Amino acid sequence: MHTFLLAPTGFGVGLTSTSLGLVRALARAGLKVGFCKPIAQHHRDDDGPERSTGLIASTHGITAPEPLSLAHVEHLLGDDHLDDLLEEIINLHHLASVDKDVVIIEGMVPTRQASYAAKINVALAKSLNADAILVTAPDNETPQALADRIELHLQQFGGPRQASIVGAVVNKVVSDDYAQALRATPLFSGDRFRLLGSIPWQDDLNAPRTRDVAELLGATVLNAGDYEQRRVQKVVLCARAMPNTVQLLKPGVLVVTPGDRDDIILATCLAAMNGVPLAGMLLCSDFQPDPRILELCRNALQGGLPVLTIASGSHGTIGALDRLNNEIPLDDRERAEKVTDFVAGHIDHEWLLAQCGTPHEIRLTPAAFRYQLVKQAQAANKRIVLPEGSEPRTVQAAAICQTRGIARCVLLAKPETVHEVARVQGIVLPPDLEILDPELIRERYVEPMVELRKGKGLNAPMASAQLEDTVVLGTMMLALDEVDGLVSGAIHTTANTIRPALQLIKTAPGYKLVSSVFFMLLPDQVVVYGDCAVNPDPTAPELAEIALQSAASATAFGIPPRVAMLSYSTGDSGSGEEVEKVREATRLAHVAQPELLLDGPLQYDAASVAEVGRQKAPNSQVAGRATVFVFPDLNTGNTTYKAVQRSADCLSVGPMLQGLRKPVNDLSRGALVDDIVFTIALTAIQAASMKN
């Protein structure tokens, strides 16, 4: 088991962000990672749990030991009991390291109140036999000056040639040129001390929710609107005349204006009513807005525009906004996830993995699964059609996928409509993002569709009418191999997505039905649930086919298939029609693929919990360690997947359709942008596996 100590060089260097990213970078490699913040250092605005420990729990599902209070630590140090303190911290480290390959220790932050922090961090590195990583950030200094300052901090650990010091992570780097110049300094030129991460500054990662701003300012909320979801990316003080203000009203802007500026209030609300997703409006100077003006703005307020008031004047309010605590709130999981992934993507995880050595057991963790999804999709380089081409979430997901190389996306919509959606939503469309106007391409698919459906009596007028539906149009593009996959469902039902695929794409060779799987991102691993979305009551042969399809899907995404055929009884302990169906399905699946690790009937606990599996099915190679769970019917599967998702706060990716000749995937109508991105990635990987 390996230990890394993160030692910050000062306050505000991005220590928590580095912890989040480092844990994810190592988890992506399949390592079991533990975390410990031995000593709590609460910000003056904090009144809840220690922030790093809480964020690690919410983003990674890691339960870290409770940190020691700062008062307790200072009492021990005041009594000259450093050894006693280190013994307590070693115990916390032991708790964090149980069944782990690597543990991240977050050191103390040097502040005016904790000038002894550096001494504690050096003692921790020695006591825990940890590799120390310095965490720092530029302070308006040249790369060489920053390198010199880092070297001064290294002296506290015995200098850069000490084996316990392995490198540094530098946050808030302003440009690539700065990073390259820093890497070229003598400090980082050799092999003894490495630049393990150069994390660029990115404004949108530091955007708080409007609700956070309201709470930190102590503002009065006149209209909450969407203040839980909207983010403050920029603050604009509007003191100009209204015509000169209009150009400032852009997505993510928090408009600060005195409460008696009726013209600015009306202009802001008009922009909101026109679809501009402003962060909100903050009315200052202790002026309350005229109720008649608010009545005129009713549609904007009902549309979600947050409105806050505060007593301070314009410049005092701007000053207070500049001084706000910008740390990630414990309940802001969306921002924490974005920061975590961003930092993880800029850390030299391959070198760190080599330092850690071979893990106890390579497992596909949620972080590793998401990471591999993106990497495999990028390698696949597939063209994916999105029939709901002007739907805002779909447009944003397509832009992300195109920019990151996850897929070459094709939006089916009028280009001017897509560009207007992007303008209003503040989405930057990549220049190579393909947008096809359905009106201009529809007719060329009429004849091929008639040919495909000639056995069903389809004629040209009927085909032309059906092609008015962009899902049908996109499915025809897939049928003719013009695209590699299709993703729909943000505004269409599952039936709307699947029906054209069954008619035009057909099932894959060897399969008779279409089924689905969800990838369930449990805290410690990713497992597969099938079928929870398509087949209401499969027969035994159909259930066997679902099991084989699900095992193949698991294999395609790097999950070793150990298939549990689920029932309300295990082995021969029960009888009845439903159990016999599962028993027969298990037999048929074994006949079809005798080498596949598959067992049933198994109860869920016997399939998933090692101790229960050993007790109820001691001779099973699947019991207690299943990775693919096949449910006997849709009622059981859908209920279980939703129960696990909600009660365990577990993310799920899917449903992914399987059994089709070409990949078509359905979205939940409540899908988030990230859900759509991951579904596009899934589809691209499916397309690559079907070609092989």
Side-chain angles (χ1 to χ4, degrees):
M1 196 274 301
H2 205 90
T3 300
F4 289 109
L5 168 74
L6 297 181
T9 62
F11 181 78
V13 297
L15 178 62
T16 300
S17 299
T18 303
S19 295
L20 291 168
L22 182 58
V23 171
R24 176 142 299 168
L26 294 170
R28 282 174 174 174
L31 293 168
K32 297 182 73 174
V33 186
F35 176 83
C36 180
K37 171 80 170 177
I39 301 170
Q41 289 179 278
H42 291 284
H43 191 277
R44 63 178 179 273
D45 296 324
D46 286 347
D47 56 4
E50 195 280 319
R51 194 178 296 254
S52 294
T53 304
L55 288 171
I56 287 286
S58 66
T59 55
H60 299 283
I62 296 173
T63 302
E66 188 72 24
L68 305 175
S69 73
L70 193 59
H72 174 66
V73 169
E74 292 183 339
H75 176 73
L76 289 175
L77 292 176
D79 290 343
D80 199 23
H81 291 325
L82 176 60
D83 288 343
D84 291 342
L85 171 61
L86 292 175
E87 283 185 20
E88 292 189 34
I89 292 175
I90 289 170
N91 182 56
L92 295 179
H93 175 259
H94 175 73
L95 294 174
S97 63
V98 175
D99 195 32
K100 298 295 189 292
D101 299 308
V102 59
V103 175
I104 307 302
I105 302 293
E106 190 176 289
M108 286 197 74
V109 180
T111 64
R112 283 180 295 179
Q113 294 77 25
S115 57
Y116 52 85
K119 176 184 175 182
I120 294 295
N121 289 337
V122 172
L124 286 178
K126 293 178 179 177
S127 301
L128 301 175
N129 193 28
D131 284 344
I133 299 172
L134 293 184
V135 180
T136 191
D139 187 15
N140 295 320
E141 58 198 330
T142 66
Q144 184 59 59
L146 175 59
D148 291 342
R149 183 160 60 85
I150 293 172
E151 195 151 12
L152 283 175
H153 285 279
L154 286 175
Q155 301 308 320
Q156 298 170 330
F157 288 86
R161 295 190 175 278
Q162 280 292 317
S164 61
I165 300 290
V166 295
V169 173
V170 181
N171 286 303
K172 307 179 184 180
V173 177
V174 293
S175 68
D176 289 339
D177 289 342
Y178 191 100
Q180 290 173 9
L182 181 62
R183 202 176 293 275
T185 60
L187 178 63
F188 294 111
S189 297
D191 295 329
R192 302 285 294 183
F193 189 74
R194 303 178 65 90
L195 184 58
L196 295 171
S198 176
I199 318 300
W201 174 265
Q202 189 159 310
D203 285 332
D204 61 350
L205 295 178
N206 297 283
R209 296 166 299 191
T210 308
R211 190 200 83 184
D212 301 326
V213 172
E215 291 177 353
L216 290 169
L217 286 178
T220 300
V221 180
L222 283 187
N223 187 66
D226 296 331
Y227 85 152
E228 293 272 4
Q229 292 81 37
R230 300 200 184 190
R231 294 189 176 274
V232 179
Q233 297 179 357
K234 186 177 181 181
V235 175
V236 173
L237 175 60
C238 291
R240 309 176 185 179
M242 186 179 72
N244 297 323
T245 298
V246 171
Q247 61 186 356
L248 303 175
L249 303 177
K250 296 180 178 179
V253 164
L254 177 67
V255 177
V256 179
T257 192
D260 60 351
R261 285 295 302 269
D262 297 341
D263 55 340
I264 301 298
I265 293 172
L266 287 171
T268 302
C269 290
L270 186 59
M273 290 163 61
N274 284 336
V276 179
L278 296 162
M281 185 162 49
L282 177 56
L283 306 177
C284 59
S285 301
D286 209 16
F287 291 120
Q288 293 300 309
D290 190 312
R292 294 169 295 182
I293 298 297
L294 290 183
E295 180 61 26
L296 281 175
C297 297
R298 180 189 298 174
N299 286 344
L301 303 184
Q302 292 177 343
L305 177 69
V307 181
L308 318 173
T309 66
I310 195 168
S312 56
S314 300
H315 294 291
T317 301
I318 292 296
L321 286 165
D322 286 339
R323 294 189 298 272
L324 286 183
N325 175 20
N326 201 32
E327 294 182 22
I328 305 170
L330 284 171
D331 65 344
D332 192 352
R333 184 166 179 172
E334 178 188 4
R335 182 176 164 200
E337 285 286 351
K338 286 184 177 180
V339 169
T340 298
D341 282 337
F342 184 76
V343 174
H346 290 85
I347 284 180
D348 189 352
H349 62 277
E350 291 183 0
W351 186 88
L352 290 169
L353 180 61
Q355 285 287 105
C356 296
T358 305
H360 297 156
E361 179 186 356
I362 294 290
R363 300 160 310 112
L364 194 62
T365 63
F369 178 75
R370 291 192 297 264
Y371 181 71
Q372 288 186 19
L373 271 187
V374 171
K375 289 299 182 184
Q376 286 182 257
Q378 289 170 335
N381 189 31
K382 295 301 180 182
R383 190 169 183 243
I384 306 299
V385 65
L386 307 172
E388 299 156 325
S390 60
E391 195 279 322
R393 292 165 296 165
T394 303
V395 173
Q396 187 171 352
I400 292 170
C401 288
Q402 195 77 25
T403 301
R404 296 180 63 188
I406 292 171
R408 291 175 287 124
C409 293
V410 181
L411 294 173
L412 293 184
K414 289 189 173 297
E416 58 270 24
T417 304
V418 175
H419 284 284
E420 177 61 18
V421 168
R423 185 192 67 79
V424 169
Q425 297 291 324
I427 302 167
V428 178
L429 295 178
D432 56 346
L433 178 61
E434 195 173 355
I435 307 171
L436 297 180
D437 186 342
E439 298 291 340
L440 301 181
I441 65 171
R442 183 173 291 121
E443 285 306 311
R444 73 171 184 246
Y445 294 99
V446 172
E447 187 175 335
M449 186 171 174
V450 170
E451 178 64 23
L452 280 174
R453 301 281 288 160
K454 61 185 179 183
K456 301 296 182 180
L458 188 75
N459 57 34
M462 294 165 63
S464 184
Q466 290 184 27
L467 285 164
E468 294 285 332
D469 183 343
T470 54
V471 178
V472 176
L473 180 60
T475 307
M476 273 303 302
M477 295 175 68
L478 181 58
L480 297 178
D481 289 327
E482 295 179 0
V483 294
D484 301 298
L486 179 148
V487 174
S488 179
I491 53 178
H492 287 86
T493 65
T494 298
N496 288 143
T497 300
I498 295 179
R499 189 184 305 110
L502 289 173
Q503 294 172 344
L504 301 169
I505 303 298
K506 314 291 187 184
T507 54
Y511 291 138
K512 297 179 181 178
L513 85 165
V514 174
S515 66
S516 72
V517 288
F518 281 92
F519 294 92
M520 305 297 291
L521 278 59
L522 303 176
D524 287 330
Q525 70 176 129
V526 179
V527 297
V528 175
Y529 281 8
D531 167 17
C532 304
V534 178
N535 296 284
D537 189 16
T539 63
E542 289 172 338
L543 195 58
E545 187 169 319
I546 291 169
L548 299 179
Q549 290 177 351
S550 302
S553 293
T555 301
F557 288 91
I559 301 172
R562 296 188 288 270
V563 185
M565 307 294 285
L566 298 177
S567 179
Y568 59 79
S569 73
T570 295
D572 298 325
S573 64
S575 60
E577 185 178 343
E578 293 301 316
V579 179
E580 291 304 322
K581 180 179 81 169
V582 174
R583 189 170 286 125
E584 174 64 9
T586 303
R587 186 188 69 79
L588 293 172
H590 269 308
V591 170
Q593 289 189 24
E595 74 287 352
L596 180 64
L597 289 179
L598 179 145
D599 198 4
L602 290 170
Q603 292 164 287
Y604 190 94
D605 59 349
S608 60
V609 180
E611 288 184 12
V612 179
R614 283 194 295 270
Q615 180 183 4
K616 292 189 174 183
N619 299 319
S620 173
Q621 292 183 284
V622 173
R625 52 196 296 265
T627 57
V628 179
F629 297 79
V630 179
F631 294 89
D633 53 56
L634 186 58
N635 183 40
T636 308
N638 193 267
T639 301
T640 304
Y641 125 73
K642 288 186 180 294
V644 171
Q645 182 188 46
R646 298 300 179 185
S647 61
D649 194 22
C650 159
L651 295 175
S652 64
V653 178
M656 185 185 85
L657 300 182
Q658 50 191 14
L660 285 167
R661 193 166 50 88
K662 297 176 183 178
V664 172
N665 281 313
D666 181 41
L667 298 165
S668 163
R669 275 169 281 176
L672 302 175
V673 172
D674 281 350
D675 297 331
I676 301 174
V677 169
F678 285 129
T679 303
I680 292 171
L682 280 174
T683 308
I685 297 167
Q686 271 187 297
S689 66
M690 289 177 179
K691 295 285 185 184
N692 295 335

